[in-house]
Amino acid sequence: MDYREFFSRFRYLSETPGIGGRIKVQPEDFVVVEDPLPSIFEGRKHAIFLLKKQNWDTMSVIKEIAKRAEMRYRDIGFAGTKDRHAVTFQYISVPIKTKERVEGVQIRDVELRFVSYGRFIKLGHLLGNRFRIIVRDVGEDAFERTRTIIRELRQKGGFPNYFGHQRFGEKRVTNHLVGKLLLWGDFEGAARLFLGAHEGGLEGDEARRHFWEIGDVDKALEEFPNFLRYERTLLHRYKETGSWRRAFLSLPLPIMRIFIHAYQSYLFNHYLSRRIEEGLSLNRALVGDIVVQMKGGIPYRDRTYRVTETNINFVNGTIQKGQAVVSGPLFGFSMRRAKGIPGRLEGEILEEENLSLEIFKKLPKPMAEPGGRRELLIRPLGLTYGYVPEMGMCFRFFLPKGIYATSVLREIMKDH
């Protein structure tokens, strides 16, 4: 299953036909610029570099920088992962003693520029990202159709805030399935799926197919290409320990947690799609909803309050002013549950998946997930668009952290 087939199960919010087209035809068509928290520039124990890259995912380039600078990759801090098929700008931190070695690193399709001293950058240390995206191969009516779609979505409160396909795997849509197996403690099944799932036609697929059929670890180590570094790490660690559980726990923490996050994301997308399907408003709260506070277009997901019969008019007033937004569930052991009709939807999804929130606490400690709430609608800030002859539609906008530009474009393109 490719990501288009996977995403076809999630409903669009707007009814106007999309503009179609293609994104990421060239890396320069998809430019991402990170807006960091100002606090990363406080202190002098770390050197802050601006990392420009293309044809690299963030974790892979971090490990390559560390290798060439002769340092531990865990000593390199970064605020978030950026797409491989794009031109991206983000900040990284390195210990001050490694500054000169990092300045000397030269990697194809990578530029490093020292910008300041500061602190260690942790995941989440960013406000959001600015995007400039070209959608190619669109028709002559693309501009007018875009305007109609955006007008319709503004009337409905914004764009549906789906997690993008990158969360689940662009070529092998399996991350959420691996996460579900890990959640149930089936580390062997998770390893078999992570290592063996294959679509056909991708480099390394023949080796994956062999492992899927016979499960021979030694043969897999001979056949798996070197660029499948996390797969090879898992195989080596299993050979050393004889434990798939220990093998998974040997992966870098951001990689290890991707699988659980992907499953949480799948369940959130399922909830959002079902709410659209049942005709329940995303822009007006229902009794029992949990709403998230908004300030300056940025959601404060740790500031939530429940909608009751007493406060519902007040809450919907704050939503219309852009000071709050209706949320959906990121299932986890300490997630605040909705009640009423929204609570029924959450309960149905948990029942269908045979889940309880406590199961998220039974994971190995680094993978345990408390969960939380996530806004159902996106309101891109500074959204502008226009038609560029011989290129296509050009979009520019800012999104808070954790929100996917591809989900904005999906509603406009309607290509999956």
Side-chain angles (χ1 to χ4, degrees):
M1 178 192 305
D2 70 9
Y3 74 87
R4 287 183 175 83
E5 183 182 352
F6 172 74
F7 257 80
S8 66
R9 69 187 72 182
F10 302 134
R11 293 294 187 98
Y12 296 110
L13 181 57
S14 59
E15 298 176 6
T16 305
I19 66 172
R22 294 189 298 156
I23 61 172
K24 302 181 183 179
V25 175
Q26 302 171 11
E28 297 79 9
D29 290 351
F30 203 101
V31 178
V32 187
V33 180
E34 183 178 272
D35 276 7
L37 288 178
S39 61
I40 71 168
F41 300 109
E42 298 172 357
R44 293 189 62 85
K45 292 184 177 180
H46 292 81
I48 309 296
F49 285 82
L50 180 62
L51 166 65
K52 176 186 176 183
K53 65 174 184 61
Q54 64 185 61
N55 300 319
W56 288 87
D57 65 74
T58 299
M59 199 64 215
S60 295
V61 80
I62 291 296
K63 296 189 85 167
E64 188 64 24
I65 292 168
K67 178 182 175 182
R68 299 198 186 197
E70 299 179 338
M71 60 186 293
R72 298 190 314 166
Y73 73 84
R74 290 186 176 88
D75 290 336
I76 302 178
F78 58 96
T81 56
K82 298 288 185 287
D83 206 326
R84 176 180 181 177
H85 305 291
V87 176
T88 69
F89 297 79
Q90 67 185 117
Y91 294 90
I92 66 169
S93 65
V94 302
I96 197 167
K97 64 183 179 181
T98 65
K99 174 179 176 286
E100 290 185 3
R101 296 205 300 271
V102 172
E103 284 180 316
V105 167
Q106 293 188 343
I107 303 172
R108 185 177 180 181
D109 294 331
V110 174
E111 295 179 20
L112 284 162
R113 180 170 64 85
F114 171 74
V115 292
S116 182
Y117 295 100
R119 59 191 289 195
F120 181 78
I121 301 175
K122 296 181 180 179
L123 287 172
H125 279 179
L126 74 162
L127 295 171
N129 297 285
R130 287 175 282 134
F131 296 89
R132 194 224 67 191
I133 301 169
I134 300 293
V135 180
R136 296 182 183 268
D137 301 336
V138 296
E140 294 181 358
D141 63 343
F143 180 84
E144 288 302 323
R145 192 171 289 185
T146 297
R147 178 153 51 186
T148 303
I149 292 169
I150 290 175
R151 185 184 301 123
E152 180 183 353
L153 290 170
R154 281 177 175 156
Q155 292 173 351
K156 295 182 177 181
F159 291 72
N161 191 17
Y162 287 118
F163 283 93
H165 59 262
Q166 306 95 312
R167 194 77 158 185
F168 308 99
E170 292 191 50
K171 296 177 179 177
R172 299 187 312 137
V173 186
T174 56
N175 286 350
H176 65 299
L177 300 175
V178 173
K180 184 176 182 178
L181 291 168
L182 290 174
L183 194 63
W184 284 105
D186 185 0
F187 288 89
E188 182 175 356
R192 184 171 185 266
L193 185 60
F194 175 53
L195 296 167
H198 52 280
E199 288 293 326
L202 302 175
E203 189 177 356
D205 266 1
E206 191 67 11
R208 291 188 186 278
R209 184 179 65 80
H210 289 162
F211 184 82
W212 182 264
E213 292 173 351
I214 61 177
D216 188 324
V217 171
D218 289 325
K219 185 175 180 63
L221 282 169
E222 290 177 10
E223 294 184 343
F224 271 49
N226 288 333
F227 74 87
L228 297 177
R229 61 180 69 193
Y230 302 122
E231 287 86 343
R232 293 185 62 83
T233 296
L234 199 71
L235 289 163
H236 277 296
R237 188 61 173 160
Y238 175 77
K239 193 172 179 183
E240 292 171 4
T241 65
S243 165
W244 287 117
R245 184 181 188 274
R246 292 182 183 178
F248 267 104
L249 292 174
S250 72
L251 294 174
L253 184 59
I255 300 301
M256 183 172 60
R257 297 180 69 182
I258 277 174
F259 302 115
I260 304 300
H261 290 167
Y263 186 48
Q264 290 176 305
S265 303
Y266 167 74
L267 297 177
F268 175 88
N269 282 7
H270 189 24
Y271 174 88
L272 174 52
S273 181
R274 183 170 292 184
R275 190 154 171 153
I276 295 172
E277 183 179 350
E278 294 197 10
L280 302 176
S281 175
L282 307 183
N283 193 36
R284 289 190 63 81
L286 305 173
V287 172
D289 261 322
I290 306 292
V291 297
V292 171
Q293 185 176 339
M294 296 282 287
K295 189 174 182 180
I298 304 294
Y300 287 75
R301 296 173 186 138
D302 57 343
R303 301 179 189 176
T304 64
Y305 45 99
R306 189 184 306 282
V307 182
T308 66
E309 291 183 359
T310 303
N311 68 11
I312 187 167
N313 290 332
F314 170 77
V315 171
N316 279 323
T318 64
I319 289 173
Q320 296 309 308
K321 294 175 185 176
Q323 298 170 356
V325 63
V326 181
S327 73
L330 290 175
F331 291 112
F333 62 81
S334 64
M335 184 198 83
R336 192 175 187 187
R337 288 285 303 272
K339 294 182 179 180
I341 294 173
R344 170 183 62 79
L345 285 181
E346 290 180 12
E348 287 175 358
I349 289 171
L350 288 172
E351 187 175 344
E352 290 165 9
E353 296 287 317
N354 194 25
L355 287 177
S356 71
L357 297 187
E358 285 300 307
I359 198 172
F360 288 90
K361 202 169 190 175
K362 296 179 180 178
L363 287 160
K365 192 171 182 180
M367 300 168 69
E369 274 299 327
R373 308 294 303 187
R374 175 181 171 89
E375 56 280 8
L376 294 178
L377 289 172
I378 308 167
R379 297 182 180 95
L381 299 178
L383 173 61
T384 61
Y385 56 93
Y387 183 79
V388 181
E390 299 182 8
M391 291 184 69
M393 288 294 296
C394 178
F395 296 87
R396 297 176 186 267
F397 49 86
F398 171 87
L399 293 175
K401 66 181 179 181
I403 296 179
Y404 289 78
T406 50
S407 294
V408 172
L409 294 172
R410 175 181 184 265
E411 194 75 23
I412 294 171
M413 296 168 68
K414 293 188 173 69
D415 61 332
H416 58 273

